[in-house]
Amino acid sequence: MGILSTIASFFGFGVGTSLGLVIGYYLFMYFQPTHVKDPKIQPLVERDSKTLQQLLPEIPSWIKNPDYDRLDWFNKFVEYMWPYLDKAICKTARSIAKPIIAEEIPKYKIDSVEFEELTLGSLPPKFQGMKVYTTDEKELIMEPLLKWAGNPNIIVEIKAFGLRATVQVVDLQVFAAPRITLKPLVPSFPCFANIYVSLMEKPHVDFGLKLLGADAMSIPGLYRIVQELIKDQVAKMYLWPKALEFQIMDPTKAMKVPVGILHVKVIKAVKLKKKDLLGASDPYVKLKLSDDKLPSKKTTVKYKNLNPEWNEEFSVVVKDPESQVLELSIYDWEQFGKHDKMGMNAIPLKELTPDEPKVVTLNLLKTMEPGNPENEKPRGELTVEVLYKPFKEDEMAENVQDSNAIEKAPEGTPTSGGLLVITIHEAEDVEGKHHTNPYARLIFMGEERKTKYVKKNRDPRWGESFQFMLEEPPTNQKLYVKVQSVSSKLGLLHPKETLGYVDINLSDVVTNKRINEKYHLIDSRNGRIQIELQWRTP
């Protein structure tokens, strides 16, 4: 009977379960509950003001504010990268927290504080939008809106007086509006030297806290006290204008700050080949350092002379003596048309011994390309004297501490005057009726200078500097800058067009020593031009 009852109960269970599943499926498919209604879909315009006010905080910022951009693509990127970002962020957090903890625990008689577990969980943060600011300085400013409801597992082990306690942080929620500044921008990857993070307002922080396995936040009043304490402490440390700084690279190396001065004396040239059909040539020398954005320095012109002597001295700033070379070129001056190049050569700075003058005689070449047969033809010789003087340790420290400091005017500058340096950086939204090949033309005290023209570009970048040695400060002078477009073809009907101009009073630069601003171009719809002015005194 025992065996028969067991078999019967087994079959009864199987039949009953199968029959119950069939009946349950039938009831689920063909009978709808009467107390459950379909959700009502209603357009936002039909909602009352109270409902809209309740929904407003949940609407993304890029809908409410046109200054913010959508970041769907970035959220997708963070989602894919989150497992790796989790490990990297936790590793950085450990390294930052370790020295802070080691400094603080002796004050409270605590033996040790260590992370037993540290992971940010599987849920990545979401960015609701981002605002980007443009400034006239070498920096990038971003303000993302961050919302993160995560599932981290952070367990901190505390040992004191022979006892051990664990504190666990779970169910973390953070709503924050940080400001992230990348500066200075440098010409070396990743193109910025430091990251500064500030909070524009107190963050919203919510979390669960377990002490010895029990929910500490359930203690009456403790939850609000802890939450407000964290908000106040975080705001005290990082609320703008205070910031958390991360150094990515050494800005002095990235920006290649000056490390010395190269003194060059152009002595003479011999056996130059004449370029003019009638008579001798009119030679002059141009010299500059490679990777230097400043314009070339020039000697005077020696008219009708194939064996000229100059004995003129120049000084140039050295930023990388291991890679930079002194480029020397001789040109034949022409009153009209292009000046013909008579020859060139270069001196690598790494071949110079610091603080030792060296006289070098160079064979003039057609080009610096090695193996070019044109270089075998005689073109004359150029003799120069060079002296590289590196900065001392204290001079380097002063240079590094104030990277925005204005350089002093070179030797020979009038005591009551100075050097006016005008840098034409770039322009925006310039447009012509017939062509847009813009260049900048500047006129100062009757002297005219021009930048190169940029072909087919409404946002040209020039980055060219012009220098004027003055007997007295230009307090009552004005700088006239005009942006023009030149036809890249024959352009008989429309050879040139004016794209806008600006008049700048120079009294401010004498007072402030340096101005870097974007000016709206007159007679232009939306055009702007960025000009940097420096007044350097002896």
Side-chain angles (χ1 to χ4, degrees):
M1 289 298 293
I3 296 176
L4 292 177
S5 62
T6 302
I7 295 173
S9 62
F10 175 79
F11 279 104
F13 174 78
V15 172
T17 302
S18 303
L19 186 60
L21 290 174
V22 172
I23 295 174
Y25 176 78
Y26 177 80
L27 293 174
F28 176 78
M29 293 298 295
Y30 294 97
F31 290 92
Q32 296 291 339
T34 57
H35 63 280
V36 178
K37 297 180 180 180
D38 292 331
K40 186 178 180 181
I41 300 175
Q42 187 178 3
L44 287 176
V45 292
E46 298 179 5
R47 299 290 182 116
D48 57 88
S49 59
K50 184 178 180 180
T51 304
L52 290 175
Q53 288 178 357
Q54 293 175 349
L55 292 174
L56 194 59
E58 303 302 324
I59 297 176
S61 298
W62 53 268
I63 295 178
K64 297 182 290 186
N65 192 331
D67 292 340
Y68 284 86
D69 297 320
R70 294 183 65 172
L71 290 177
D72 294 344
W73 65 271
F74 188 69
N75 286 325
K76 183 63 69 175
F77 169 78
V78 173
E79 181 181 346
Y80 283 126
M81 292 292 295
W82 185 244
Y84 308 97
L85 291 171
D86 177 19
K87 295 179 181 179
I89 294 172
C90 291
K91 183 178 180 181
T92 304
R94 286 178 185 270
S95 61
I96 294 175
K98 189 174 181 179
I100 297 176
I101 293 173
E103 183 180 352
E104 293 294 330
I105 58 176
K107 301 177 183 178
Y108 304 98
K109 308 298 182 181
I110 297 175
D111 296 334
S112 67
V113 176
E114 296 180 355
F115 286 104
E116 187 175 302
E117 292 285 342
L118 179 56
T119 175
L120 301 180
S122 59
L123 300 177
K126 296 291 184 182
F127 292 87
Q128 300 295 309
M130 180 183 290
K131 182 192 294 185
V132 179
Y133 292 89
T134 57
T135 69
D136 296 334
E137 303 299 327
K138 296 179 180 179
E139 62 182 5
L140 175 63
I141 300 176
M142 301 173 289
E143 286 187 4
L145 292 180
L146 171 68
K147 288 190 176 183
W148 181 35
N151 55 345
N153 184 21
I154 304 173
I155 302 177
V156 180
E157 183 186 65
I158 304 173
K159 293 181 180 179
F161 306 107
L163 302 175
R164 174 183 175 275
T166 58
V167 179
Q168 183 178 13
V169 179
V170 295
D171 300 330
L172 180 64
Q173 292 186 7
V174 178
F175 300 163
R179 169 176 286 184
I180 302 173
T181 304
L182 310 179
K183 70 175 185 181
L185 302 180
V186 296
S188 302
F189 190 80
C191 300
F192 56 88
N194 297 304
I195 301 177
Y196 299 87
V197 181
S198 300
L199 294 174
M200 304 310 295
E201 57 188 36
K202 284 187 178 182
H204 168 75
V205 181
D206 193 2
F207 58 91
L209 189 64
K210 292 184 178 182
L211 181 62
L212 299 174
D215 187 4
M217 293 293 100
S218 62
I219 300 175
L222 181 61
Y223 171 76
R224 184 173 297 276
I225 294 173
V226 172
Q227 191 181 46
E228 292 300 322
L229 180 63
I230 291 176
K231 285 183 181 180
D232 292 340
Q233 288 298 320
V234 172
K236 183 179 178 181
M237 296 172 64
Y238 306 121
L239 194 63
W240 190 87
K242 297 180 180 179
L244 176 64
E245 179 182 353
F246 299 96
Q247 185 174 17
I248 305 301
M249 64 174 69
D250 187 348
T252 61
K253 295 181 180 179
M255 298 187 72
K256 293 184 178 180
V257 298
V259 296
I261 297 291
L262 180 68
H263 299 280
V264 183
K265 182 178 181 179
V266 181
I267 300 175
K268 64 179 181 178
V270 295
K271 299 179 182 179
L272 299 177
K273 300 301 178 183
K274 65 178 182 178
K275 289 289 184 177
D276 298 338
L277 295 177
L278 301 175
S281 299
D282 306 317
Y284 69 92
V285 179
K286 290 177 66 174
L287 59 98
K288 68 172 296 184
L289 284 177
S290 59
D291 298 328
D292 193 350
K293 295 183 179 180
L294 294 177
S296 301
K297 298 181 181 294
K298 302 178 184 178
T299 66
T300 56
V301 179
K302 299 298 181 181
Y303 297 98
K304 302 184 185 305
N305 196 332
L306 296 179
N307 296 283
E309 293 188 9
W310 288 283
N311 293 309
E312 297 180 17
E313 298 182 3
F314 305 89
S315 296
V316 288
V317 176
V318 178
K319 295 182 179 180
D320 189 355
E322 291 299 317
S323 64
Q324 286 185 294
V325 298
L326 175 65
E327 300 171 350
L328 298 149
S329 303
I330 298 184
Y331 286 85
D332 177 27
W333 181 85
E334 297 290 347
Q335 186 172 3
F336 302 103
K338 186 178 179 180
H339 298 185
D340 295 324
K341 183 181 288 188
M342 305 179 70
M344 64 183 301
N345 212 321
I347 302 175
L349 299 191
K350 63 182 180 181
E351 296 180 0
L352 302 179
T353 303
D355 298 317
E356 290 187 12
K358 182 178 182 180
V359 178
V360 182
T361 299
L362 303 168
N363 292 321
L364 295 174
L365 308 174
K366 172 71 174 178
T367 173
M368 294 304 297
E369 297 178 3
N372 191 324
E374 291 288 333
N375 291 336
E376 298 179 3
K377 297 180 181 180
R379 301 177 185 277
E381 297 178 348
L382 175 66
T383 301
V384 296
E385 181 180 348
V386 289
L387 170 62
Y388 172 53
K389 295 185 72 66
F391 290 140
K392 297 178 182 178
E393 291 292 335
D394 54 346
E395 295 173 329
M396 283 290 294
E398 292 177 3
N399 220 327
V400 171
Q401 287 174 2
D402 191 4
S403 59
N404 291 324
I406 303 300
E407 296 179 24
K408 289 188 176 182
E411 295 181 7
T413 303
T415 306
S416 59
L419 182 69
L420 177 65
V421 181
I422 304 169
T423 303
I424 310 295
H425 285 291
E426 60 184 1
E428 298 175 356
D429 292 330
V430 294
E431 53 183 324
K433 295 181 180 179
H434 305 283
H435 47 74
T436 305
N437 304 309
Y439 69 95
R441 174 171 167 259
L442 59 94
I443 299 175
F444 175 65
M445 297 183 65
E447 190 170 350
E448 179 178 334
R449 304 282 179 87
K450 297 178 182 179
T451 68
K452 62 180 181 296
Y453 83 89
V454 182
K455 190 175 180 181
K456 295 181 180 180
N457 199 316
R458 293 179 54 182
D459 301 302
R461 293 177 179 268
W462 294 293
E464 297 186 34
S465 297
F466 306 91
Q467 299 181 359
F468 298 88
M469 191 75 71
L470 304 179
E471 297 287 341
E472 58 184 21
T475 307
N476 300 318
Q477 300 293 336
K478 285 188 176 182
L479 171 67
Y480 177 81
V481 180
K482 179 188 286 187
V483 180
Q484 292 183 302
S485 175
V486 61
S487 176
S488 57
K489 299 180 181 179
L490 188 57
L492 297 178
L493 294 177
H494 308 286
K496 290 183 181 179
E497 287 186 76
T498 298
L499 308 183
Y501 70 93
V502 63
D503 262 324
I504 303 173
N505 195 319
L506 297 178
S507 59
D508 288 342
V509 71
V510 175
T511 304
N512 300 321
K513 301 299 183 183
R514 176 177 178 264
I515 295 176
N516 187 7
E517 291 186 5
K518 287 185 179 180
Y519 300 89
H520 289 277
L521 291 169
I522 301 173
D523 291 343
S524 174
R525 183 182 302 174
N526 299 309
R528 297 196 302 170
I529 184 169
Q530 182 178 350
I531 301 175
E532 182 179 353
L533 304 171
Q534 292 186 27
W535 175 241
R536 303 176 183 175
T537 53

